[in-house]
Amino acid sequence: MSRAIVFRRLLVPLATALVLSSTGAIASSAGAIAEARSVPGASGPQPVRTRAEAGTGAWTGTWEAAASGTVPAPPGATIRNVVHTSIGGRAARVRLSNRLGTRPLRLGAVTLALRHPDEPGSPRALAGSVRAVTFAGARAVTVPAGRDLVSDPVPLSVPADADLLVSVHTPADSGPATYHRSAFQTSFVAPAGDRTGEESGAGYTATVGSWYYVTGVDVLGAATAAGSVVALGDSITDGTGSTSDANHRWPDLLAARLRGLPPHLGPGVLNAGISGNRLLLDGQGPSALTRLDADVFSRAGVRTLIVLEGVNDIKGTPEQRDPRALENAYRLLVRRAHAHGIKVIGGTITPYGGHAAYTPAREAVRQAVNAAVRTDRIFDGVADLDAVVRDPARPNRILPAYDPGDHLHFNDAGMRALAGTIDLRSLLTPLGAGPRTPGPSPR
């Protein structure tokens, strides 16, 4: 019997609930955690500032997972989430979420550690690296339903391009767990007891392919002055089609390109992709417009946003037949990002000819949206992903060399092509640097 099957049998047989919330706010605690402030015209959590930021450098996101839904969680278990950094720092803080939960979430203990570099497929921590994660000085904390929480600074030197272990113990049944379903990363479960401090990982006898509760890791240090880049997208950004446990999603490969720059120039890269996500409608997770506050604006040090959303609006049910609806949604997204000082790069929608959902009418919508993205100056910059990955002989399809077989997503080579399309200079130039001709008003 596989570890994954063992874990599923441990779960309470509750129906998976998806509770979509656009009004969650970051929980406040005395001391290190500040209460989120509401912003007119925006919903959800706002940027968090902690006392540790004063005079010690800037907090910057190094890793993110967007909350995509809920799933029953086993009371009394410890989940060891494996996450991969884009940049490093001299301290860290952890973001945990009960954003989509329906009951208060009791966290009995949380730890942060470096995964042993010689055992990349195991739950084993590097000796001496396990650190207790606290919240206003307390190890245990209760997170109200609909809320996110940011930890106190954790004194751990975090390398770039490394695996971290975020271990979370939930001592009681707190209801449905907020999670990121499609991690394309194996994490580990200890079915009973607080195993958060365990270095060997021997107690973690089951595996899971999702991230539970943890939605981000930030790092602190002078080398984080370049800030961070958020990739907002659907399953293509989430990593569908790429090799699991290899960090070959296109945002990972973009981060690898950026690590070739001097440390003070290379920003962190945050993956806010959700498989099945749409620009306009809730479904697989809140829509892109609904989750901007939680998944983009509340993140630390965000300078640039890359948007690849729209194919599920075009091919989903109900389908979006009017290109102008997507174009106007892009414009709204850009206006909201600009209000936060964030530059926006728009990606053209990639082909999916040969997929079961493809029709000529839907292709006409995709082509119209892409034409607007290229020529109407909706965004501050354009990443013409469609042009790079399409088959010249059949432009409504992706190149066979990039196709994992479903004619929609991308294998590792395709992910590398997507990452290679992003102009690194566009990520390093701040909003307002250089002329930008405003695009036309919404139609």
Side-chain angles (χ1 to χ4, degrees), residues 51-415:
R51 292 176 179 176
E53 290 184 74
T56 58
W59 285 107
T60 301
T62 186
W63 175 85
E64 175 181 357
S68 66
T70 60
V71 69
T78 301
I79 299 175
R80 179 156 280 183
N81 299 279
V82 178
V83 308
H84 194 76
T85 64
S86 56
I87 59 172
R90 63 175 180 268
R93 64 185 185 187
V94 178
R95 293 170 179 260
L96 298 168
S97 183
N98 192 24
R99 189 186 311 157
L100 306 181
T102 56
R103 293 164 53 186
L105 168 64
R106 181 65 176 171
L107 301 176
V110 180
T111 62
L112 179 66
L114 303 177
R115 178 147 76 167
H116 199 292
D118 296 332
E119 298 187 29
S122 84
R124 183 182 174 191
L126 181 67
S129 71
V130 178
R131 301 287 188 273
V133 177
T134 61
F135 307 89
R139 289 207 62 190
V141 67
T142 297
V143 188
R147 298 291 186 96
D148 290 342
L149 194 66
V150 181
S151 76
D152 300 333
V154 180
L156 177 67
S157 180
V158 175
D161 192 24
D163 286 344
L164 300 179
L165 305 175
V166 182
S167 303
V168 180
H169 173 57
T170 51
D173 184 2
S174 296
T178 294
Y179 84 141
H180 182 91
R181 178 171 58 92
S182 302
F184 304 102
Q185 173 66 61
T186 301
S187 291
F188 302 90
V189 180
D194 178 3
R195 299 276 187 164
T196 57
E198 185 177 279
E199 287 186 349
S200 70
Y204 292 87
T205 57
T207 61
V208 66
S210 303
W211 288 304
Y212 282 67
Y213 304 114
V214 60
T215 59
V217 177
D218 303 334
V219 290
L220 180 67
T224 61
S228 60
V229 174
V230 176
L232 183 71
D234 48 40
S235 55
I236 294 172
T237 300
D238 209 6
T240 300
S242 66
T243 301
S244 292
D245 295 319
N247 301 303
H248 284 170
R249 312 165 194 85
W250 74 258
D252 297 321
L253 299 173
L254 174 61
R257 290 183 64 205
L258 288 165
R259 282 193 294 273
L261 299 173
H264 67 284
L265 291 179
V269 178
L270 306 180
N271 189 333
I274 296 178
S275 293
N277 200 229
R278 295 184 179 209
L279 180 64
L280 294 167
L281 299 177
D282 293 345
Q284 293 299 320
S287 72
L289 287 175
T290 300
R291 64 191 182 95
L292 279 175
D293 294 281
D295 293 340
V296 181
F297 304 148
S298 74
R299 300 293 161 160
V302 179
R303 305 283 181 84
T304 306
L305 172 63
I306 304 173
V307 179
L308 178 55
E309 290 264 13
V311 69
N312 291 319
D313 297 79
I314 295 171
K315 72 176 184 61
T317 303
E319 64 187 89
Q320 181 53 250
R321 300 178 181 178
D322 184 358
R324 292 173 297 180
L326 276 75
E327 296 163 24
N328 291 338
Y330 290 147
R331 291 186 176 93
L332 174 58
L333 185 154
V334 170
R335 287 199 300 273
R336 290 183 60 191
H338 284 180
H340 290 265
I342 297 171
K343 182 178 182 177
V344 187
I345 308 298
T348 50
I349 301 173
T350 52
Y352 66 103
H355 187 271
Y358 176 86
T359 68
R362 291 171 175 173
E363 174 67 6
V365 175
R366 186 182 76 89
Q367 293 287 357
V369 172
N370 282 351
V373 169
R374 291 184 181 109
T375 64
D376 284 2
R377 295 187 176 90
I378 296 172
F379 297 99
D380 301 301
V382 174
D384 200 346
L385 307 175
D386 167 59
V388 170
V389 301
R390 69 190 178 210
D391 185 346
R394 296 180 297 177
N396 66 334
R397 292 176 176 248
I398 63 176
L399 280 165
Y402 297 158
D403 189 350
D406 66 3
H407 312 303
L408 171 65
H409 299 104
F410 294 90
N411 58 22
D412 292 354
M415 291 290 182

